[in-house]
Amino acid sequence: PASHRKAVQTAFGPIKEFISSKFSISRDGADEARILIEATFESVGRLLSDGRKFILGDKFSLVDIAFCSLAAPVIASPEIPLY
C-alpha cells in the first residue's frame, strides 16, 4: 500500500545512516564486498556452465535455496521493491 511505501521512503535515510555507522560500512568495504560478490557469482556460473540445473548434484537442495535467497537483492530489478 501507499502508506507502507511512504513509511519506508521516510525511514530509509536514517536507517541507512544508523546501519552504516553501527557496522562501520564504508565505500572501501563496499567495493571489497562487490568484488567478493562478483567472484561468488562467477564461481556459481562456472558450476552451472556444464548444463546442470542445480548447484550441487542433480536435485534441488538447500544450497540452491540459500544462494537464490541471498542473491535476490543483488540481482533484483530496480522496479521490484525489496521491502
Side-chain angles (χ1 to χ4, degrees):
S3 61
H4 291 174
R5 196 172 309 115
K6 181 66 174 168
V8 169
Q9 290 170 345
T10 301
F12 184 77
I15 291 172
K16 180 181 175 184
E17 287 182 35
F18 171 77
I19 291 172
S20 294
S21 173
K22 180 77 172 166
F23 295 102
S24 302
I25 297 172
S26 66
R27 171 54 51 200
D28 289 340
D31 291 342
E32 290 174 19
R34 177 173 295 281
I35 291 167
L36 180 59
I37 290 167
E38 289 172 356
T40 301
F41 274 87
E42 288 174 14
S43 177
V44 170
R46 281 192 300 277
L47 285 172
L48 298 175
S49 69
D50 64 3
R52 70 178 80 189
K53 294 181 179 181
F54 309 108
I55 297 172
L56 294 178
D58 59 351
K59 294 183 179 179
F60 188 66
S61 71
L62 290 177
V63 172
D64 301 290
I65 294 170
F67 180 76
C68 291
S69 297
L70 295 170
V74 176
I75 62 172
S77 169
E79 293 83 25
I80 299 172
L82 293 175
Y83 55 89

